[in-house]
Amino acid sequence: QLQLVESGGGLVQPGGSLRLACAASGFILDIYDIGWFRQAPGKEREGVSCISRSGGATNYADSVKGRFTISRDNAKNTVYLQMNSLEPEDTAVYYCAAVRMGYSGARYYTGLKVDEAHSWGQGTQVTVSS
């Protein structure tokens, strides 16, 4: 069974940066597309970014485009989320999960839908505050 563990969260000032990591165990990560999601207090969980199993395709929510960068190192079985220019609105628990990206038959998967993700990690808290 795929198990994912997030790390790298913390407290950062507005404008600062953090790099989150999503490490896999149980399975080799390069057979999965992986997504990052977040849930702020009192809000629904939302998709942030995702990356295909080869790393050749990525997708971002509009709210983080130009500020966040997703990458993966399959040799280390790890997916990263580099977060720059952080804003208080980015405060949330961040989760990684296995997703599906691209076309399957006639259906297109963005990789950012919560109900299409599985094998969730436990999450890591990111707090952006002065």
Side-chain angles (χ1 to χ4, degrees):
Q1 180 178 357
L2 177 65
Q3 293 181 325
L4 300 173
V5 178
E6 303 91 339
S7 62
L11 173 64
V12 63
Q13 292 185 342
S17 298
L18 281 175
R19 188 176 79 156
L20 305 183
C22 171
S25 63
F27 280 84
I28 299 174
L29 194 62
D30 64 4
I31 65 173
Y32 292 97
D33 303 330
I34 297 293
W36 282 99
F37 299 80
R38 66 186 182 186
Q39 187 165 18
K43 295 187 177 182
E44 293 186 352
R45 193 171 297 189
E46 62 177 359
V48 174
S49 182
C50 56
I51 187 167
S52 63
R53 60 200 67 185
S54 70
T58 59
N59 203 4
Y60 295 91
D62 289 342
S63 58
V64 306
K65 281 181 182 176
R67 300 188 299 123
F68 290 11
T69 303
I70 192 170
S71 62
R72 67 191 299 158
D73 185 340
N74 286 336
K76 294 183 178 180
N77 240 22
T78 302
V79 172
Y80 302 98
L81 185 68
Q82 178 67 42
M83 306 187 296
N84 298 330
S85 303
L86 283 162
E87 304 167 352
E89 293 73 23
D90 296 316
T91 295
V93 178
Y94 283 72
Y95 302 88
C96 61
V99 299
R100 177 178 290 181
M101 294 175 64
Y103 283 97
S104 178
R107 182 174 179 179
Y108 180 73
Y109 293 86
T110 65
L112 297 179
K113 291 189 176 180
V114 173
D115 59 1
E116 296 172 354
H118 64 89
S119 301
W120 294 87
Q122 84 291 345
T124 185
Q125 176 71 47
V126 171
T127 302
V128 184
S129 175
S130 55

